[in-house]
Coordinates of all heavy atoms in Angstrom, one line a residue:
M1 N 0.8 -1.2 0.0 CA 0.0 0.0 0.0 C 0.9 1.2 0.0 O 1.9 1.3 0.7 CB -0.9 0.0 1.3 CG -1.7 1.2 1.4 SD -2.2 1.5 3.2 CE -3.7 0.6 3.3
R2 N 0.5 2.2 -0.8 CA 1.2 3.5 -0.8 C 0.2 4.5 -0.4 O -1.0 4.4 -0.6 CB 1.8 3.8 -2.2 CG 2.9 2.9 -2.5 CD 3.6 3.3 -3.8 NE 4.8 2.5 -4.0 CZ 6.0 2.7 -3.5 NH1 6.2 3.9 -2.9 NH2 7.0 1.9 -3.7
V3 N 0.8 5.6 0.2 CA -0.1 6.6 0.8 C 0.4 8.0 0.5 O 1.7 8.2 0.4 CB -0.3 6.4 2.3 CG1 1.0 6.6 3.1 CG2 -1.4 7.4 2.9
F4 N -0.4 8.9 0.2 CA 0.0 10.3 0.1 C -1.1 11.3 0.6 O -2.3 10.9 0.6 CB 0.5 10.7 -1.3 CG -0.6 10.7 -2.4 CD1 -1.2 11.9 -2.7 CD2 -1.0 9.5 -3.0 CE1 -2.3 11.9 -3.7 CE2 -2.0 9.5 -3.9 CZ -2.7 10.7 -4.3
V5 N -0.7 12.4 1.0 CA -1.6 13.5 1.4 C -1.8 14.5 0.3 O -0.8 15.0 -0.2 CB -1.1 14.1 2.7 CG1 -2.0 15.3 3.1 CG2 -1.0 13.1 3.8
D6 N -3.0 14.8 0.0 CA -3.3 15.8 -1.0 C -3.2 17.2 -0.3 O -4.0 17.6 0.5 CB -4.7 15.6 -1.5 CG -5.2 16.7 -2.5 OD1 -4.4 17.6 -2.7 OD2 -6.3 16.6 -3.0
D7 N -2.1 17.9 -0.7 CA -1.8 19.2 0.0 C -2.9 20.2 -0.2 O -3.2 21.1 0.6 CB -0.6 19.8 -0.6 CG 0.7 19.0 -0.4 OD1 0.6 18.1 0.5 OD2 1.7 19.2 -1.0
D8 N -3.6 20.1 -1.3 CA -4.7 21.1 -1.6 C -5.9 20.9 -0.7 O -6.7 21.8 -0.4 CB -5.2 21.0 -3.0 CG -4.1 21.5 -4.0 OD1 -3.2 22.2 -3.6 OD2 -4.1 21.0 -5.2
S9 N -6.1 19.6 -0.2 CA -7.3 19.3 0.6 C -7.0 19.4 2.1 O -7.9 19.7 2.9 CB -7.8 17.9 0.2 OG -8.1 17.9 -1.1
C10 N -5.7 19.1 2.5 CA -5.4 19.0 3.9 C -5.6 20.3 4.5 O -5.2 21.4 4.0 CB -3.9 18.6 4.0 SG -3.4 18.5 5.7
R11 N -6.2 20.3 5.7 CA -6.4 21.5 6.5 C -5.7 21.5 7.8 O -5.9 22.3 8.7 CB -7.9 21.8 6.7 CG -8.7 22.1 5.5 CD -8.3 23.5 5.0 NE -8.9 23.8 3.7 CZ -8.4 23.5 2.5 NH1 -7.2 23.0 2.5 NH2 -9.0 23.8 1.4
G12 N -4.9 20.5 8.0 CA -4.0 20.5 9.2 C -4.7 20.2 10.5 O -4.2 20.5 11.5
H13 N -5.8 19.4 10.5 CA -6.5 19.1 11.7 C -5.6 18.2 12.6 O -5.8 18.2 13.8 CB -7.8 18.3 11.4 CG -8.7 19.1 10.5 ND1 -9.4 20.2 10.9 CD2 -9.1 18.9 9.3 CE1 -10.1 20.6 9.9 NE2 -10.0 19.8 8.9
G14 N -4.8 17.4 12.0 CA -3.9 16.5 12.8 C -4.5 15.2 13.2 O -3.8 14.5 14.0
V15 N -5.7 14.9 12.7 CA -6.3 13.6 13.1 C -5.3 12.5 12.6 O -5.1 11.5 13.4 CB -7.6 13.4 12.4 CG1 -8.2 12.0 12.7 CG2 -8.6 14.5 12.8
C16 N -4.8 12.6 11.5 CA -3.9 11.5 10.9 C -2.7 11.3 11.8 O -2.3 10.2 12.1 CB -3.5 11.9 9.5 SG -2.8 13.5 9.4
A17 N -2.1 12.4 12.2 CA -0.9 12.3 13.0 C -1.2 11.7 14.4 O -0.3 11.0 15.0 CB -0.2 13.6 13.2
A18 N -2.4 12.0 14.9 CA -2.8 11.4 16.2 C -3.0 9.9 16.1 O -2.7 9.1 16.9 CB -4.0 12.1 16.7
V19 N -3.7 9.5 15.0 CA -4.0 8.1 14.8 C -2.8 7.3 14.4 O -2.7 6.1 14.8 CB -5.2 8.0 13.7 CG1 -5.4 6.6 13.3 CG2 -6.4 8.6 14.2
C20 N -2.0 7.8 13.6 CA -0.9 7.0 13.0 C 0.4 7.9 12.9 O 0.8 8.2 11.8 CB -1.3 6.5 11.6 SG -0.2 5.3 10.9
P21 N 1.0 8.1 14.1 CA 2.1 9.0 14.1 C 3.4 8.5 13.4 O 4.3 9.3 13.1 CB 2.4 9.3 15.6 CG 1.7 8.1 16.3 CD 0.6 7.7 15.4
S22 N 3.5 7.2 13.2 CA 4.7 6.7 12.5 C 4.6 7.0 11.0 O 5.6 6.8 10.4 CB 4.9 5.2 12.9 OG 3.7 4.5 12.9
V23 N 3.5 7.3 10.5 CA 3.4 7.6 9.1 C 3.1 9.1 8.8 O 3.7 9.7 7.9 CB 2.3 6.8 8.4 CG1 2.1 7.2 7.0 CG2 2.6 5.3 8.5
F24 N 2.3 9.7 9.6 CA 1.9 11.1 9.3 C 2.5 12.1 10.3 O 2.4 11.8 11.6 CB 0.4 11.3 9.3 CG -0.3 10.4 8.4 CD1 -0.9 9.2 8.8 CD2 -0.4 10.7 7.0 CE1 -1.5 8.3 7.9 CE2 -1.0 9.8 6.1 CZ -1.6 8.7 6.5
V25 N 3.0 13.2 9.8 CA 3.5 14.2 10.7 C 2.9 15.5 10.2 O 2.6 15.7 9.0 CB 5.0 14.4 10.7 CG1 5.7 13.1 11.3 CG2 5.6 14.7 9.4
I26 N 2.8 16.5 11.2 CA 2.4 17.8 10.8 C 3.6 18.6 10.6 O 4.5 18.7 11.5 CB 1.4 18.5 11.9 CG1 0.2 17.6 12.1 CG2 1.0 19.9 11.4 CD1 -0.7 17.4 10.9
T27 N 3.8 19.2 9.4 CA 5.0 20.0 9.1 C 4.9 21.3 9.7 O 3.9 21.8 10.2 CB 5.2 20.1 7.6 OG1 4.1 20.9 7.1 CG2 5.1 18.8 6.9
D28 N 6.1 22.1 9.6 CA 6.1 23.4 10.2 C 5.1 24.3 9.5 O 4.6 25.3 10.0 CB 7.5 24.0 10.0 CG 8.5 23.3 10.8 OD1 8.1 22.6 11.8 OD2 9.7 23.5 10.6
G29 N 4.7 24.0 8.3 CA 3.7 24.7 7.5 C 2.3 24.5 8.0 O 1.4 25.1 7.6
G30 N 2.1 23.5 8.9 CA 0.8 23.2 9.5 C 0.0 22.2 8.8 O -1.2 22.0 9.1
Y31 N 0.6 21.5 7.8 CA -0.2 20.5 7.1 C 0.5 19.2 7.2 O 1.7 19.1 7.6 CB -0.3 20.9 5.6 CG -1.1 22.2 5.4 CD1 -0.4 23.4 5.2 CD2 -2.4 22.2 5.6 CE1 -1.1 24.6 5.1 CE2 -3.1 23.4 5.5 CZ -2.5 24.6 5.2 OH -3.2 25.7 5.2
A32 N -0.3 18.1 6.9 CA 0.2 16.8 7.1 C 1.1 16.3 6.0 O 0.9 16.8 4.8 CB -0.9 15.8 7.3
E33 N 2.0 15.5 6.3 CA 2.9 14.9 5.3 C 3.0 13.4 5.7 O 3.2 13.1 6.9 CB 4.2 15.6 5.3 CG 5.2 15.1 4.2 CD 6.5 16.0 4.3 OE1 6.4 17.2 4.0 OE2 7.5 15.4 4.7
A34 N 3.0 12.5 4.7 CA 3.3 11.1 4.9 C 4.8 10.9 4.9 O 5.4 11.1 3.8 CB 2.6 10.3 3.9
V35 N 5.4 10.6 6.0 CA 6.9 10.4 6.0 C 7.3 9.0 5.5 O 8.4 8.8 5.1 CB 7.5 10.7 7.4 CG1 7.4 12.1 7.8 CG2 6.8 9.8 8.5
E36 N 6.3 8.1 5.6 CA 6.5 6.8 5.0 C 5.5 6.8 3.8 O 4.3 7.1 4.0 CB 6.0 5.7 5.9 CG 6.9 5.4 7.1 CD 8.2 4.6 6.6 OE1 8.1 4.0 5.5 OE2 9.1 4.6 7.4
D37 N 5.9 6.4 2.6 CA 4.9 6.3 1.6 C 4.7 4.8 1.2 O 3.7 4.5 0.6 CB 5.1 7.2 0.4 CG 6.2 6.8 -0.4 OD1 7.0 6.0 0.0 OD2 6.3 7.3 -1.6
D38 N 5.6 4.0 1.5 CA 5.4 2.6 1.3 C 5.1 1.9 2.6 O 6.0 1.7 3.4 CB 6.7 2.0 0.7 CG 6.5 0.7 0.1 OD1 5.4 0.1 0.1 OD2 7.5 0.1 -0.4
I39 N 3.8 1.6 2.8 CA 3.4 1.2 4.1 C 3.5 -0.3 4.3 O 3.1 -1.1 3.5 CB 1.9 1.6 4.2 CG1 1.7 3.1 4.0 CG2 1.3 1.2 5.6 CD1 2.5 4.0 4.8
S40 N 4.1 -0.6 5.4 CA 4.3 -2.0 5.8 C 3.0 -2.6 6.2 O 2.1 -1.9 6.7 CB 5.4 -2.2 6.9 OG 4.9 -1.5 8.0
P41 N 2.8 -3.9 6.1 CA 1.5 -4.5 6.4 C 1.0 -4.2 7.8 O -0.2 -4.1 8.1 CB 1.8 -6.0 6.2 CG 2.9 -6.1 5.2 CD 3.7 -4.9 5.5
E42 N 2.0 -4.1 8.8 CA 1.6 -3.9 10.2 C 0.9 -2.5 10.4 O 0.2 -2.3 11.3 CB 2.8 -4.0 11.1 CG 3.7 -5.2 11.0 CD 4.7 -5.0 9.9 OE1 5.7 -4.2 10.1 OE2 4.6 -5.6 8.8
L43 N 1.3 -1.6 9.5 CA 0.8 -0.2 9.7 C -0.5 0.0 8.8 O -1.1 1.1 9.0 CB 1.8 0.8 9.3 CG 3.0 0.9 10.2 CD1 4.1 1.9 9.6 CD2 2.5 1.5 11.6
E44 N -0.9 -0.9 8.0 CA -2.0 -0.7 7.1 C -3.3 -0.3 7.8 O -4.0 0.6 7.4 CB -2.2 -1.8 6.1 CG -1.1 -1.9 5.1 CD -1.4 -2.9 4.0 OE1 -2.5 -3.5 4.0 OE2 -0.6 -3.1 3.1
S45 N -3.6 -1.0 8.9 CA -4.9 -0.8 9.5 C -4.9 0.6 10.2 O -5.9 1.3 10.1 CB -5.2 -1.9 10.6 OG -4.3 -1.8 11.6
S46 N -3.8 1.1 10.7 CA -3.9 2.4 11.3 C -3.8 3.5 10.2 O -4.4 4.6 10.4 CB -2.8 2.7 12.4 OG -1.5 2.6 11.8
V47 N -3.2 3.2 9.1 CA -3.3 4.1 8.0 C -4.8 4.2 7.5 O -5.3 5.3 7.2 CB -2.4 3.7 6.8 CG1 -2.7 4.5 5.5 CG2 -0.9 4.0 7.2
R48 N -5.4 3.1 7.4 CA -6.9 3.1 7.0 C -7.7 3.9 8.0 O -8.7 4.6 7.6 CB -7.4 1.7 6.8 CG -6.9 1.0 5.6 CD -7.5 -0.4 5.4 NE -6.6 -1.3 4.8 CZ -6.3 -1.3 3.5 NH1 -6.8 -0.4 2.7 NH2 -5.5 -2.2 3.0
E49 N -7.4 3.8 9.2 CA -8.1 4.5 10.3 C -7.9 6.0 10.1 O -8.8 6.8 10.2 CB -7.5 4.1 11.6 CG -8.5 4.2 12.8 CD -7.9 3.8 14.1 OE1 -7.3 2.7 14.1 OE2 -8.0 4.5 15.1
A50 N -6.7 6.4 9.7 CA -6.4 7.8 9.4 C -7.2 8.3 8.2 O -7.7 9.4 8.2 CB -4.9 8.0 9.2
V51 N -7.2 7.4 7.2 CA -8.0 7.8 6.0 C -9.4 8.0 6.3 O -10.0 9.1 5.9 CB -7.9 6.7 4.9 CG1 -8.8 6.9 3.8 CG2 -6.4 6.5 4.4
D52 N -10.0 7.1 7.1 CA -11.4 7.3 7.5 C -11.6 8.5 8.4 O -12.7 9.1 8.4 CB -11.9 6.0 8.2 CG -12.0 4.8 7.2 OD1 -11.9 5.0 6.0 OD2 -12.0 3.7 7.7
G53 N -10.6 8.8 9.2 CA -10.8 9.9 10.2 C -10.5 11.2 9.6 O -10.8 12.2 10.3
C54 N -9.9 11.3 8.5 CA -9.5 12.6 7.9 C -10.8 13.4 7.5 O -11.5 12.9 6.6 CB -8.6 12.5 6.7 SG -8.3 14.1 5.9
P55 N -11.1 14.5 8.1 CA -12.3 15.2 7.8 C -12.4 15.8 6.4 O -13.4 16.1 5.9 CB -12.3 16.4 8.8 CG -11.3 16.1 9.8 CD -10.3 15.2 9.2
E56 N -11.2 16.0 5.8 CA -11.1 16.5 4.4 C -11.0 15.5 3.4 O -10.8 15.8 2.2 CB -9.9 17.5 4.4 CG -9.9 18.6 5.5 CD -11.1 19.5 5.5 OE1 -11.7 19.7 4.4 OE2 -11.4 20.0 6.6
R57 N -10.9 14.2 3.8 CA -10.7 13.2 2.8 C -9.4 13.5 2.0 O -9.4 13.3 0.7 CB -11.9 13.0 1.8 CG -13.1 12.5 2.5 CD -13.1 11.0 2.6 NE -14.1 10.4 3.4 CZ -14.0 9.9 4.6 NH1 -12.8 9.9 5.2 NH2 -14.9 9.3 5.2
A58 N -8.4 13.9 2.7 CA -7.1 14.3 2.0 C -6.1 13.2 1.8 O -5.1 13.4 1.2 CB -6.5 15.5 2.7
I59 N -6.4 12.1 2.5 CA -5.4 11.0 2.5 C -5.8 10.0 1.4 O -6.9 9.5 1.4 CB -5.2 10.3 3.8 CG1 -4.9 11.4 4.9 CG2 -4.1 9.3 3.8 CD1 -5.0 10.8 6.3
H60 N -4.9 9.7 0.5 CA -5.2 8.7 -0.5 C -4.3 7.6 -0.5 O -3.1 7.7 -0.2 CB -5.1 9.4 -1.9 CG -6.0 10.6 -2.0 ND1 -7.3 10.5 -2.4 CD2 -5.8 11.9 -1.8 CE1 -7.9 11.7 -2.4 NE2 -7.0 12.6 -2.0
V61 N -4.8 6.4 -0.7 CA -4.0 5.2 -0.7 C -4.1 4.5 -2.1 O -5.1 4.7 -2.8 CB -4.4 4.2 0.4 CG1 -4.2 4.8 1.8 CG2 -5.8 3.7 0.2
K62 N -3.0 3.9 -2.4 CA -3.0 3.1 -3.6 C -2.6 1.7 -3.2 O -1.5 1.4 -2.6 CB -1.9 3.7 -4.5 CG -1.9 3.1 -5.9 CD -1.1 3.9 -6.8 CE -0.8 3.1 -8.1 NZ 0.6 3.0 -8.5
E63 N -3.5 0.7 -3.5 CA -3.2 -0.7 -3.1 C -2.2 -1.2 -4.1 O -2.3 -1.0 -5.3 CB -4.5 -1.5 -3.1 CG -5.6 -0.9 -2.3 CD -5.4 -1.0 -0.8 OE1 -4.4 -1.8 -0.4 OE2 -6.1 -0.3 0.0
E64 N -1.3 -2.0 -3.5 CA -0.3 -2.7 -4.4 C -0.2 -4.1 -3.9 O -0.3 -4.4 -2.7 CB 1.0 -2.0 -4.3 CG 1.1 -0.7 -5.0 CD 2.5 -0.1 -5.0 OE1 3.3 -0.5 -4.1 OE2 2.7 0.8 -5.7
N65 N 0.0 -5.0 -4.9 CA 0.2 -6.4 -4.5 C 1.7 -6.6 -4.3 O 2.4 -6.4 -5.3 CB -0.4 -7.3 -5.6 CG -1.9 -7.2 -5.7 OD1 -2.5 -7.1 -4.6 ND2 -2.4 -7.3 -6.8
H66 N 2.0 -7.0 -3.1 CA 3.5 -7.2 -2.9 C 3.8 -8.6 -3.3 O 3.1 -9.6 -3.0 CB 3.8 -7.1 -1.4 CG 3.7 -5.6 -1.0 ND1 4.8 -4.8 -1.2 CD2 2.8 -4.9 -0.4 CE1 4.5 -3.6 -0.7 NE2 3.2 -3.6 -0.3
V67 N 4.8 -8.8 -4.0 CA 5.3 -10.1 -4.4 C 6.5 -10.4 -3.6 O 7.5 -9.7 -3.7 CB 5.6 -10.1 -5.9 CG1 6.1 -11.5 -6.3 CG2 4.4 -9.7 -6.7
N68 N 6.4 -11.3 -2.7 CA 7.6 -11.7 -1.9 C 8.2 -13.0 -2.3 O 7.6 -13.9 -2.7 CB 7.1 -11.8 -0.4 CG 6.7 -10.5 0.1 OD1 7.3 -9.4 -0.1 ND2 5.6 -10.5 0.8
Ligands
SF4_1 S1 -6.4 14.5 9.1 FE1 -6.5 15.1 6.9 S2 -6.8 17.3 6.9 FE2 -6.1 16.7 9.0 S3 -3.9 16.9 8.9 FE3 -4.4 14.8 8.4 S4 -4.5 14.8 6.1 FE4 -4.7 16.9 6.8

């Protein structure tokens, strides 16, 4: 799974950083950034929680099939 924050939609509420701090941080500019964009399987559920919790629907994920 890959994740990115749409800068145009993000309003800096910080829900994502509260729910999943290992992936989302609030930058000095006051908006969220995904510091990890290639999400490990252990983090996927909290990333999904952040996606659902974002009031602006600013977090987007792209599902990928990992071939191990
Ligand atoms: S919850 Fe959504 S709007 Fe709020 S900081 Fe995170 S990405 Fe931005």
